Amino acid sequence: MKVDPLQRYLHVLSDEEALADAVAQAILATADAMVREHGAFRIALAGGNTPRRTHAALLRRGLAARADLAVWDLWFGDERCVPPGDAASNARMVDESLLEGLRVRPTVHRVPTELGAASVIAAAYEAELVRAFALRPGAIPVFDMVLLGLGADGHTASIFPGDAALGERRRLVAPAKSPKPPHDRVTLTLPVLCAASMVLFVVSGADKAPVLRLALDEDMGLPVDEVRPTSGIVNFFADAAAASLVRKHK
Ligand code: 6PG
């Protein structure tokens, strides 16, 4: 699709199932390339509900039979500060919709929400990033792929309009406040999201049509607009319902 200076690519699929399948194909193709290129696939998963269909499509497309799963590193783009088994936990959503379908498990870097306070959780997850990516002081981890959702208010991961996490440029993981419960969250920060080799927003449903139009046709300074990868490429995968109001990128 047409590309603007930031190189935002819009891929429109007919419905939510076709969307999930297209995203699964993109993930598997990128994994093939990254495992060939550097022997691992480091991906940050999105939270919320939309990823459930993508995870089901990954399983339908044979994820469980892949020989390279052992070199996949799964991370969380954000997490709610709730106990691990809580119904609002993104880790629980990933367990239910993806990991329980796998015999061979990838390495899963869960956000240690059992630590309690968001600031403590964020610091611990940042330490895990530093360790796992063997980062020098001040370095930023480069994910092969970051999957992101889009909230109706233009938030992504747990970076909400007006929240301090939006302005965080030093830390890799920050505590965040959501206007919707669970209010306490932690999130990868924009420096990390923007360092990714590939960013992939997955947007589904008519309720997201107004915000996707704002994200693609205007520049309102929403959190979604601040995801400007140094690689320069942002892929929006949307179903027709979510893309129904977009004008400039068609
Ligand atoms: C979260 C997500 C959040 C989500 C959007 C879209 O933890 O809630 O990271 O950014 O991706 O709110 O959520 P849905 O997919 O449920 O619409």
Side-chain angles (χ1 to χ4, degrees), residues 70-121:
V71 295
W72 284 39
D73 262 19
L74 302 188
W75 296 80
F76 290 83
D78 69 314
E79 183 58 282
R80 293 83 178 274
C81 295
V82 295
D86 189 288
S89 160
N90 285 333
R92 177 171 163 177
M93 180 275 289
V94 170
D95 278 338
E96 289 172 348
S97 61
L98 184 65
L99 297 181
E100 283 168 10
L102 301 178
R103 289 184 314 281
V104 173
R105 289 288 180 102
T107 300
V108 181
H109 302 269
R110 297 170 189 282
V111 179
T113 58
E114 65 278 7
L115 295 178
S119 57
V120 175
I121 295 168

mmCIF file of all heavy atoms in Angstrom, residues 70-121:
data_model
loop_
_atom_site.group_PDB
_atom_site.id
_atom_site.type_symbol
_atom_site.label_atom_id
_atom_site.label_comp_id
_atom_site.label_asym_id
_atom_site.label_seq_id
_atom_site.Cartn_x
_atom_site.Cartn_y
_atom_site.Cartn_z
ATOM 1 N N ALA A 70 12.767 -23.652 19.790
ATOM 2 C CA ALA A 70 13.693 -23.567 20.935
ATOM 3 C C ALA A 70 14.531 -22.293 20.886
ATOM 4 O O ALA A 70 15.062 -21.854 21.903
ATOM 5 C CB ALA A 70 14.603 -24.792 20.970
ATOM 6 N N VAL A 71 14.644 -21.668 19.699
ATOM 7 C CA VAL A 71 15.445 -20.422 19.613
ATOM 8 C C VAL A 71 14.540 -19.197 19.458
ATOM 9 O O VAL A 71 14.996 -18.116 19.101
ATOM 10 C CB VAL A 71 16.479 -20.500 18.465
ATOM 11 C CG1 VAL A 71 17.505 -21.586 18.737
ATOM 12 C CG2 VAL A 71 15.825 -20.660 17.109
ATOM 13 N N TRP A 72 13.266 -19.379 19.722
ATOM 14 C CA TRP A 72 12.351 -18.227 19.781
ATOM 15 C C TRP A 72 12.384 -17.677 21.205
ATOM 16 O O TRP A 72 12.331 -18.449 22.172
ATOM 17 C CB TRP A 72 10.929 -18.639 19.459
ATOM 18 C CG TRP A 72 10.614 -18.881 18.023
ATOM 19 C CD1 TRP A 72 11.416 -19.481 17.089
ATOM 20 C CD2 TRP A 72 9.388 -18.540 17.348
ATOM 21 N NE1 TRP A 72 10.765 -19.541 15.880
ATOM 22 C CE2 TRP A 72 9.520 -18.977 16.008
ATOM 23 C CE3 TRP A 72 8.197 -17.923 17.748
ATOM 24 C CZ2 TRP A 72 8.502 -18.814 15.061
ATOM 25 C CZ3 TRP A 72 7.183 -17.760 16.820
ATOM 26 C CH2 TRP A 72 7.338 -18.195 15.497
ATOM 27 N N ASP A 73 12.474 -16.366 21.309
ATOM 28 C CA ASP A 73 12.388 -15.686 22.608
ATOM 29 C C ASP A 73 11.128 -14.835 22.618
ATOM 30 O O ASP A 73 11.031 -13.876 21.846
ATOM 31 C CB ASP A 73 13.606 -14.762 22.782
ATOM 32 C CG ASP A 73 14.704 -15.377 23.614
ATOM 33 O OD1 ASP A 73 14.689 -16.611 23.749
ATOM 34 O OD2 ASP A 73 15.554 -14.649 24.135
ATOM 35 N N LEU A 74 10.162 -15.214 23.459
ATOM 36 C CA LEU A 74 8.918 -14.450 23.535
ATOM 37 C C LEU A 74 8.992 -13.466 24.699
ATOM 38 O O LEU A 74 9.319 -13.855 25.830
ATOM 39 C CB LEU A 74 7.717 -15.384 23.737
ATOM 40 C CG LEU A 74 7.455 -16.472 22.691
ATOM 41 C CD1 LEU A 74 6.111 -17.147 22.964
ATOM 42 C CD2 LEU A 74 7.504 -15.931 21.288
ATOM 43 N N TRP A 75 8.702 -12.231 24.406
ATOM 44 C CA TRP A 75 8.657 -11.164 25.414
ATOM 45 C C TRP A 75 7.264 -10.551 25.391
ATOM 46 O O TRP A 75 6.488 -10.809 24.466
ATOM 47 C CB TRP A 75 9.711 -10.100 25.113
ATOM 48 C CG TRP A 75 11.129 -10.586 25.198
ATOM 49 C CD1 TRP A 75 11.825 -11.291 24.247
ATOM 50 C CD2 TRP A 75 12.026 -10.406 26.294
ATOM 51 N NE1 TRP A 75 13.098 -11.570 24.696
ATOM 52 C CE2 TRP A 75 13.251 -11.029 25.945
ATOM 53 C CE3 TRP A 75 11.928 -9.784 27.545
ATOM 54 C CZ2 TRP A 75 14.353 -11.041 26.782
ATOM 55 C CZ3 TRP A 75 13.043 -9.790 28.383
ATOM 56 C CH2 TRP A 75 14.234 -10.409 27.996
ATOM 57 N N PHE A 76 6.990 -9.712 26.384
ATOM 58 C CA PHE A 76 5.696 -9.037 26.459
ATOM 59 C C PHE A 76 5.911 -7.544 26.249
ATOM 60 O O PHE A 76 6.750 -6.932 26.927
ATOM 61 C CB PHE A 76 5.031 -9.314 27.812
ATOM 62 C CG PHE A 76 4.579 -10.748 27.943
ATOM 63 C CD1 PHE A 76 5.477 -11.742 28.321
ATOM 64 C CD2 PHE A 76 3.280 -11.117 27.626
ATOM 65 C CE1 PHE A 76 5.090 -13.065 28.401
ATOM 66 C CE2 PHE A 76 2.872 -12.446 27.704
ATOM 67 C CZ PHE A 76 3.786 -13.416 28.099
ATOM 68 N N GLY A 77 5.152 -6.971 25.330
ATOM 69 C CA GLY A 77 5.254 -5.531 25.097
ATOM 70 C C GLY A 77 4.777 -4.733 26.290
ATOM 71 O O GLY A 77 5.232 -3.627 26.553
ATOM 72 N N ASP A 78 3.855 -5.348 27.024
ATOM 73 C CA ASP A 78 3.363 -4.715 28.246
ATOM 74 C C ASP A 78 2.619 -5.758 29.066
ATOM 75 O O ASP A 78 2.339 -6.850 28.594
ATOM 76 C CB ASP A 78 2.450 -3.529 27.938
ATOM 77 C CG ASP A 78 1.121 -3.973 27.332
ATOM 78 O OD1 ASP A 78 1.125 -4.821 26.426
ATOM 79 O OD2 ASP A 78 0.074 -3.491 27.794
ATOM 80 N N GLU A 79 2.355 -5.396 30.304
ATOM 81 C CA GLU A 79 1.629 -6.336 31.166
ATOM 82 C C GLU A 79 0.848 -5.526 32.191
ATOM 83 O O GLU A 79 1.240 -4.421 32.584
ATOM 84 C CB GLU A 79 2.595 -7.294 31.848
ATOM 85 C CG GLU A 79 1.961 -8.367 32.727
ATOM 86 C CD GLU A 79 0.975 -9.270 31.990
ATOM 87 O OE1 GLU A 79 -0.168 -8.795 31.769
ATOM 88 O OE2 GLU A 79 1.317 -10.399 31.642
ATOM 89 N N ARG A 80 -0.254 -6.100 32.571
ATOM 90 C CA ARG A 80 -1.031 -5.491 33.655
ATOM 91 C C ARG A 80 -0.423 -5.960 34.968
ATOM 92 O O ARG A 80 0.003 -7.096 35.103
ATOM 93 C CB ARG A 80 -2.475 -5.944 33.558
ATOM 94 C CG ARG A 80 -3.215 -5.409 32.310
ATOM 95 C CD ARG A 80 -2.941 -6.269 31.077
ATOM 96 N NE ARG A 80 -3.659 -5.810 29.896
ATOM 97 C CZ ARG A 80 -4.908 -6.169 29.593
ATOM 98 N NH1 ARG A 80 -5.567 -6.971 30.410
ATOM 99 N NH2 ARG A 80 -5.517 -5.705 28.533
ATOM 100 N N CYS A 81 -0.386 -5.094 35.979
ATOM 101 C CA CYS A 81 0.194 -5.458 37.284
ATOM 102 C C CYS A 81 -0.841 -6.205 38.122
ATOM 103 O O CYS A 81 -1.392 -5.689 39.097
ATOM 104 C CB CYS A 81 0.695 -4.215 38.011
ATOM 105 S SG CYS A 81 2.053 -3.430 37.134
ATOM 106 N N VAL A 82 -1.099 -7.419 37.666
ATOM 107 C CA VAL A 82 -2.056 -8.307 38.348
ATOM 108 C C VAL A 82 -1.351 -9.635 38.586
ATOM 109 O O VAL A 82 -0.331 -9.921 37.939
ATOM 110 C CB VAL A 82 -3.315 -8.514 37.489
ATOM 111 C CG1 VAL A 82 -4.098 -7.209 37.305
ATOM 112 C CG2 VAL A 82 -2.956 -9.120 36.132
ATOM 113 N N PRO A 83 -1.862 -10.468 39.476
ATOM 114 C CA PRO A 83 -1.215 -11.763 39.718
ATOM 115 C C PRO A 83 -1.145 -12.581 38.434
ATOM 116 O O PRO A 83 -2.015 -12.441 37.547
ATOM 117 C CB PRO A 83 -2.136 -12.429 40.743
ATOM 118 C CG PRO A 83 -2.807 -11.289 41.436
ATOM 119 C CD PRO A 83 -3.002 -10.234 40.389
ATOM 120 N N PRO A 84 -0.119 -13.422 38.279
ATOM 121 C CA PRO A 84 0.081 -14.154 37.015
ATOM 122 C C PRO A 84 -1.147 -14.865 36.484
ATOM 123 O O PRO A 84 -1.387 -14.872 35.302
ATOM 124 C CB PRO A 84 1.198 -15.146 37.375
ATOM 125 C CG PRO A 84 1.987 -14.460 38.450
ATOM 126 C CD PRO A 84 0.972 -13.660 39.254
ATOM 127 N N GLY A 85 -1.977 -15.425 37.309
ATOM 128 C CA GLY A 85 -3.125 -16.193 36.802
ATOM 129 C C GLY A 85 -4.390 -15.366 36.621
ATOM 130 O O GLY A 85 -5.409 -15.859 36.170
ATOM 131 N N ASP A 86 -4.276 -14.065 36.867
ATOM 132 C CA ASP A 86 -5.460 -13.210 36.809
ATOM 133 C C ASP A 86 -6.058 -13.167 35.407
ATOM 134 O O ASP A 86 -5.331 -13.226 34.417
ATOM 135 C CB ASP A 86 -5.047 -11.790 37.250
ATOM 136 C CG ASP A 86 -6.225 -10.858 37.441
ATOM 137 O OD1 ASP A 86 -6.830 -10.462 36.420
ATOM 138 O OD2 ASP A 86 -6.552 -10.557 38.603
ATOM 139 N N ALA A 87 -7.366 -13.040 35.316
ATOM 140 C CA ALA A 87 -8.046 -13.027 34.003
ATOM 141 C C ALA A 87 -7.580 -11.853 33.147
ATOM 142 O O ALA A 87 -7.644 -11.900 31.923
ATOM 143 C CB ALA A 87 -9.555 -12.948 34.199
ATOM 144 N N ALA A 88 -7.061 -10.796 33.760
ATOM 145 C CA ALA A 88 -6.624 -9.602 33.000
ATOM 146 C C ALA A 88 -5.161 -9.701 32.568
ATOM 147 O O ALA A 88 -4.650 -8.803 31.898
ATOM 148 C CB ALA A 88 -6.821 -8.351 33.838
ATOM 149 N N SER A 89 -4.499 -10.807 32.966
ATOM 150 C CA SER A 89 -3.055 -10.933 32.691
ATOM 151 C C SER A 89 -2.813 -11.226 31.210
ATOM 152 O O SER A 89 -3.414 -12.135 30.635
ATOM 153 C CB SER A 89 -2.476 -12.078 33.526
ATOM 154 O OG SER A 89 -1.252 -12.534 32.989
ATOM 155 N N ASN A 90 -1.908 -10.473 30.591
ATOM 156 C CA ASN A 90 -1.530 -10.783 29.203
ATOM 157 C C ASN A 90 -0.794 -12.109 29.132
ATOM 158 O O ASN A 90 -0.906 -12.839 28.142
ATOM 159 C CB ASN A 90 -0.662 -9.658 28.622
ATOM 160 C CG ASN A 90 -1.478 -8.429 28.264
ATOM 161 O OD1 ASN A 90 -2.664 -8.535 27.963
ATOM 162 N ND2 ASN A 90 -0.863 -7.266 28.321
ATOM 163 N N ALA A 91 -0.051 -12.430 30.202
ATOM 164 C CA ALA A 91 0.657 -13.720 30.210
ATOM 165 C C ALA A 91 -0.351 -14.866 30.198
ATOM 166 O O ALA A 91 -0.174 -15.871 29.511
ATOM 167 C CB ALA A 91 1.564 -13.817 31.436
ATOM 168 N N ARG A 92 -1.455 -14.688 30.943
ATOM 169 C CA ARG A 92 -2.476 -15.729 30.938
ATOM 170 C C ARG A 92 -3.108 -15.843 29.546
ATOM 171 O O ARG A 92 -3.354 -16.949 29.033
ATOM 172 C CB ARG A 92 -3.547 -15.426 31.990
ATOM 173 C CG ARG A 92 -4.677 -16.434 31.968
ATOM 174 C CD ARG A 92 -5.643 -16.310 33.113
ATOM 175 N NE ARG A 92 -6.872 -17.026 32.801
ATOM 176 C CZ ARG A 92 -7.893 -17.149 33.649
ATOM 177 N NH1 ARG A 92 -7.830 -16.615 34.868
ATOM 178 N NH2 ARG A 92 -8.985 -17.797 33.303
ATOM 179 N N MET A 93 -3.351 -14.702 28.899
ATOM 180 C CA MET A 93 -3.914 -14.720 27.530
ATOM 181 C C MET A 93 -2.974 -15.451 26.586
ATOM 182 O O MET A 93 -3.406 -16.285 25.782
ATOM 183 C CB MET A 93 -4.141 -13.283 27.065
ATOM 184 C CG MET A 93 -4.713 -13.104 25.664
ATOM 185 S SD MET A 93 -3.444 -13.113 24.354
ATOM 186 C CE MET A 93 -2.639 -11.536 24.653
ATOM 187 N N VAL A 94 -1.676 -15.217 26.695
ATOM 188 C CA VAL A 94 -0.700 -15.903 25.826
ATOM 189 C C VAL A 94 -0.621 -17.376 26.173
ATOM 190 O O VAL A 94 -0.555 -18.235 25.284
ATOM 191 C CB VAL A 94 0.680 -15.219 25.943
ATOM 192 C CG1 VAL A 94 1.767 -16.038 25.271
ATOM 193 C CG2 VAL A 94 0.627 -13.812 25.347
ATOM 194 N N ASP A 95 -0.666 -17.700 27.447
ATOM 195 C CA ASP A 95 -0.681 -19.130 27.830
ATOM 196 C C ASP A 95 -1.862 -19.837 27.179
ATOM 197 O O ASP A 95 -1.719 -20.860 26.503
ATOM 198 C CB ASP A 95 -0.812 -19.262 29.356
ATOM 199 C CG ASP A 95 0.525 -19.101 30.059
ATOM 200 O OD1 ASP A 95 1.564 -19.299 29.396
ATOM 201 O OD2 ASP A 95 0.531 -18.773 31.257
ATOM 202 N N GLU A 96 -3.061 -19.252 27.379
ATOM 203 C CA GLU A 96 -4.295 -19.908 26.925
ATOM 204 C C GLU A 96 -4.367 -20.013 25.407
ATOM 205 O O GLU A 96 -4.800 -21.017 24.854
ATOM 206 C CB GLU A 96 -5.504 -19.105 27.426
ATOM 207 C CG GLU A 96 -5.751 -19.205 28.914
ATOM 208 C CD GLU A 96 -6.832 -18.222 29.358
ATOM 209 O OE1 GLU A 96 -7.209 -17.324 28.567
ATOM 210 O OE2 GLU A 96 -7.284 -18.362 30.515
ATOM 211 N N SER A 97 -3.953 -18.946 24.725
ATOM 212 C CA SER A 97 -4.203 -18.890 23.268
ATOM 213 C C SER A 97 -3.017 -19.377 22.444
ATOM 214 O O SER A 97 -3.155 -19.606 21.240
ATOM 215 C CB SER A 97 -4.541 -17.440 22.867
ATOM 216 O OG SER A 97 -3.462 -16.570 23.163
ATOM 217 N N LEU A 98 -1.861 -19.543 23.088
ATOM 218 C CA LEU A 98 -0.680 -19.918 22.298
ATOM 219 C C LEU A 98 0.136 -21.027 22.950
ATOM 220 O O LEU A 98 0.291 -22.106 22.388
ATOM 221 C CB LEU A 98 0.208 -18.676 22.088
ATOM 222 C CG LEU A 98 1.433 -18.855 21.202
ATOM 223 C CD1 LEU A 98 1.040 -19.173 19.763
ATOM 224 C CD2 LEU A 98 2.318 -17.595 21.242
ATOM 225 N N LEU A 99 0.640 -20.783 24.154
ATOM 226 C CA LEU A 99 1.657 -21.685 24.716
ATOM 227 C C LEU A 99 1.093 -23.054 25.078
ATOM 228 O O LEU A 99 1.782 -24.068 24.941
ATOM 229 C CB LEU A 99 2.312 -21.026 25.938
ATOM 230 C CG LEU A 99 3.066 -19.733 25.636
ATOM 231 C CD1 LEU A 99 3.697 -19.175 26.904
ATOM 232 C CD2 LEU A 99 4.136 -19.952 24.557
ATOM 233 N N GLU A 100 -0.163 -23.093 25.502
ATOM 234 C CA GLU A 100 -0.731 -24.397 25.882
ATOM 235 C C GLU A 100 -0.853 -25.317 24.670
ATOM 236 O O GLU A 100 -0.966 -26.528 24.807
ATOM 237 C CB GLU A 100 -2.090 -24.194 26.575
ATOM 238 C CG GLU A 100 -1.924 -23.730 28.028
ATOM 239 C CD GLU A 100 -3.235 -23.229 28.651
ATOM 240 O OE1 GLU A 100 -4.302 -23.429 28.018
ATOM 241 O OE2 GLU A 100 -3.173 -22.637 29.749
ATOM 242 N N GLY A 101 -0.748 -24.718 23.456
ATOM 243 C CA GLY A 101 -0.835 -25.553 22.242
ATOM 244 C C GLY A 101 0.520 -26.056 21.769
ATOM 245 O O GLY A 101 0.631 -26.682 20.718
ATOM 246 N N LEU A 102 1.560 -25.776 22.549
ATOM 247 C CA LEU A 102 2.919 -26.122 22.105
ATOM 248 C C LEU A 102 3.537 -27.209 22.986
ATOM 249 O O LEU A 102 3.502 -27.099 24.206
ATOM 250 C CB LEU A 102 3.814 -24.876 22.152
ATOM 251 C CG LEU A 102 3.372 -23.683 21.295
ATOM 252 C CD1 LEU A 102 4.328 -22.521 21.500
ATOM 253 C CD2 LEU A 102 3.293 -24.078 19.830
ATOM 254 N N ARG A 103 4.121 -28.204 22.347
ATOM 255 C CA ARG A 103 4.874 -29.215 23.118
ATOM 256 C C ARG A 103 6.270 -28.666 23.420
ATOM 257 O O ARG A 103 6.710 -28.604 24.556
ATOM 258 C CB ARG A 103 5.001 -30.522 22.312
ATOM 259 C CG ARG A 103 3.718 -31.316 22.169
ATOM 260 C CD ARG A 103 3.983 -32.637 21.434
ATOM 261 N NE ARG A 103 4.820 -32.453 20.236
ATOM 262 C CZ ARG A 103 4.355 -31.993 19.075
ATOM 263 N NH1 ARG A 103 3.081 -31.619 18.967
ATOM 264 N NH2 ARG A 103 5.139 -31.861 18.019
ATOM 265 N N VAL A 104 6.944 -28.231 22.343
ATOM 266 C CA VAL A 104 8.262 -27.602 22.531
ATOM 267 C C VAL A 104 8.024 -26.131 22.848
ATOM 268 O O VAL A 104 7.328 -25.437 22.108
ATOM 269 C CB VAL A 104 9.128 -27.722 21.248
ATOM 270 C CG1 VAL A 104 10.427 -26.921 21.407
ATOM 271 C CG2 VAL A 104 9.407 -29.178 20.941
ATOM 272 N N ARG A 105 8.540 -25.692 23.994
ATOM 273 C CA ARG A 105 8.253 -24.318 24.418
ATOM 274 C C ARG A 105 9.387 -23.385 23.984
ATOM 275 O O ARG A 105 10.563 -23.722 24.168
ATOM 276 C CB ARG A 105 8.137 -24.242 25.950
ATOM 277 C CG ARG A 105 6.884 -24.892 26.515
ATOM 278 C CD ARG A 105 5.676 -24.050 26.206
ATOM 279 N NE ARG A 105 4.430 -24.605 26.729
ATOM 280 C CZ ARG A 105 3.843 -24.137 27.830
ATOM 281 N NH1 ARG A 105 4.390 -23.179 28.517
ATOM 282 N NH2 ARG A 105 2.699 -24.649 28.245
ATOM 283 N N PRO A 106 9.045 -22.211 23.451
ATOM 284 C CA PRO A 106 10.079 -21.175 23.267
ATOM 285 C C PRO A 106 10.486 -20.645 24.636
ATOM 286 O O PRO A 106 9.861 -20.976 25.651
ATOM 287 C CB PRO A 106 9.349 -20.106 22.455
ATOM 288 C CG PRO A 106 7.909 -20.288 22.795
ATOM 289 C CD PRO A 106 7.710 -21.750 23.062
ATOM 290 N N THR A 107 11.519 -19.833 24.675
ATOM 291 C CA THR A 107 11.869 -19.151 25.926
ATOM 292 C C THR A 107 10.878 -18.010 26.127
ATOM 293 O O THR A 107 10.711 -17.175 25.238
ATOM 294 C CB THR A 107 13.304 -18.597 25.844
ATOM 295 O OG1 THR A 107 14.198 -19.693 25.619
ATOM 296 C CG2 THR A 107 13.681 -17.884 27.136
ATOM 297 N N VAL A 108 10.210 -18.023 27.256
ATOM 298 C CA VAL A 108 9.189 -17.003 27.527
ATOM 299 C C VAL A 108 9.666 -16.124 28.672
ATOM 300 O O VAL A 108 9.966 -16.622 29.759
ATOM 301 C CB VAL A 108 7.842 -17.653 27.889
ATOM 302 C CG1 VAL A 108 6.776 -16.580 28.136
ATOM 303 C CG2 VAL A 108 7.388 -18.601 26.781
ATOM 304 N N HIS A 109 9.798 -14.852 28.416
ATOM 305 C CA HIS A 109 10.238 -13.892 29.437
ATOM 306 C C HIS A 109 8.992 -13.197 29.994
ATOM 307 O O HIS A 109 8.508 -12.218 29.422
ATOM 308 C CB HIS A 109 11.197 -12.879 28.830
ATOM 309 C CG HIS A 109 12.418 -13.490 28.214
ATOM 310 N ND1 HIS A 109 13.591 -13.705 28.913
ATOM 311 C CD2 HIS A 109 12.638 -13.985 26.971
ATOM 312 C CE1 HIS A 109 14.489 -14.272 28.120
ATOM 313 N NE2 HIS A 109 13.932 -14.472 26.940
ATOM 314 N N ARG A 110 8.479 -13.760 31.067
ATOM 315 C CA ARG A 110 7.276 -13.182 31.660
ATOM 316 C C ARG A 110 7.610 -11.937 32.490
ATOM 317 O O ARG A 110 8.716 -11.815 33.020
ATOM 318 C CB ARG A 110 6.605 -14.206 32.587
ATOM 319 C CG ARG A 110 6.134 -15.414 31.888
ATOM 320 C CD ARG A 110 5.704 -16.515 32.844
ATOM 321 N NE ARG A 110 5.469 -17.735 32.088
ATOM 322 C CZ ARG A 110 4.382 -17.954 31.371
ATOM 323 N NH1 ARG A 110 3.423 -17.030 31.355
ATOM 324 N NH2 ARG A 110 4.242 -19.063 30.670
ATOM 325 N N VAL A 111 6.634 -11.063 32.564
ATOM 326 C CA VAL A 111 6.801 -9.885 33.425
ATOM 327 C C VAL A 111 6.513 -10.333 34.862
ATOM 328 O O VAL A 111 5.435 -10.861 35.141
ATOM 329 C CB VAL A 111 5.832 -8.775 32.995
ATOM 330 C CG1 VAL A 111 5.987 -7.550 33.891
ATOM 331 C CG2 VAL A 111 6.065 -8.401 31.524
ATOM 332 N N PRO A 112 7.443 -10.145 35.785
ATOM 333 C CA PRO A 112 7.286 -10.688 37.147
ATOM 334 C C PRO A 112 6.305 -9.877 38.004
ATOM 335 O O PRO A 112 6.683 -9.173 38.935
ATOM 336 C CB PRO A 112 8.702 -10.624 37.717
ATOM 337 C CG PRO A 112 9.330 -9.458 37.022
ATOM 338 C CD PRO A 112 8.724 -9.420 35.647
ATOM 339 N N THR A 113 5.032 -10.003 37.679
ATOM 340 C CA THR A 113 4.038 -9.160 38.373
ATOM 341 C C THR A 113 3.873 -9.559 39.842
ATOM 342 O O THR A 113 3.313 -8.803 40.623
ATOM 343 C CB THR A 113 2.667 -9.267 37.681
ATOM 344 O OG1 THR A 113 2.265 -10.640 37.670
ATOM 345 C CG2 THR A 113 2.735 -8.729 36.251
ATOM 346 N N GLU A 114 4.407 -10.736 40.201
ATOM 347 C CA GLU A 114 4.339 -11.158 41.606
ATOM 348 C C GLU A 114 5.167 -10.238 42.505
ATOM 349 O O GLU A 114 5.008 -10.248 43.732
ATOM 350 C CB GLU A 114 4.786 -12.612 41.766
ATOM 351 C CG GLU A 114 6.231 -12.892 41.427
ATOM 352 C CD GLU A 114 6.465 -13.078 39.931
ATOM 353 O OE1 GLU A 114 5.514 -12.858 39.140
ATOM 354 O OE2 GLU A 114 7.604 -13.426 39.557
ATOM 355 N N LEU A 115 5.985 -9.391 41.898
ATOM 356 C CA LEU A 115 6.827 -8.484 42.711
ATOM 357 C C LEU A 115 6.024 -7.320 43.294
ATOM 358 O O LEU A 115 6.532 -6.564 44.125
ATOM 359 C CB LEU A 115 7.988 -7.954 41.867
ATOM 360 C CG LEU A 115 9.007 -8.999 41.384
ATOM 361 C CD1 LEU A 115 10.081 -8.347 40.528
ATOM 362 C CD2 LEU A 115 9.617 -9.727 42.573
ATOM 363 N N GLY A 116 4.807 -7.135 42.809
ATOM 364 C CA GLY A 116 3.916 -6.158 43.451
ATOM 365 C C GLY A 116 3.882 -4.794 42.803
ATOM 366 O O GLY A 116 3.107 -4.560 41.872
ATOM 367 N N ALA A 117 4.757 -3.864 43.281
ATOM 368 C CA ALA A 117 4.661 -2.478 42.781
ATOM 369 C C ALA A 117 5.130 -2.383 41.329
ATOM 370 O O ALA A 117 6.127 -3.016 40.941
ATOM 371 C CB ALA A 117 5.518 -1.565 43.653
ATOM 372 N N ALA A 118 4.449 -1.549 40.549
ATOM 373 C CA ALA A 118 4.771 -1.415 39.112
ATOM 374 C C ALA A 118 6.224 -0.981 38.914
ATOM 375 O O ALA A 118 6.913 -1.467 38.007
ATOM 376 C CB ALA A 118 3.826 -0.403 38.469
ATOM 377 N N SER A 119 6.716 -0.107 39.773
ATOM 378 C CA SER A 119 8.102 0.376 39.602
ATOM 379 C C SER A 119 9.107 -0.757 39.808
ATOM 380 O O SER A 119 10.119 -0.865 39.105
ATOM 381 C CB SER A 119 8.385 1.507 40.595
ATOM 382 O OG SER A 119 8.143 1.041 41.924
ATOM 383 N N VAL A 120 8.796 -1.649 40.750
ATOM 384 C CA VAL A 120 9.690 -2.782 41.033
ATOM 385 C C VAL A 120 9.612 -3.790 39.884
ATOM 386 O O VAL A 120 10.629 -4.308 39.410
ATOM 387 C CB VAL A 120 9.299 -3.447 42.381
ATOM 388 C CG1 VAL A 120 10.122 -4.694 42.644
ATOM 389 C CG2 VAL A 120 9.438 -2.446 43.517
ATOM 390 N N ILE A 121 8.407 -4.022 39.412
ATOM 391 C CA ILE A 121 8.207 -4.958 38.286
ATOM 392 C C ILE A 121 8.941 -4.455 37.051
ATOM 393 O O ILE A 121 9.647 -5.185 36.366
ATOM 394 C CB ILE A 121 6.703 -5.107 37.989
ATOM 395 C CG1 ILE A 121 5.979 -5.761 39.174
ATOM 396 C CG2 ILE A 121 6.480 -5.918 36.707
ATOM 397 C CD1 ILE A 121 4.457 -5.671 39.082
#
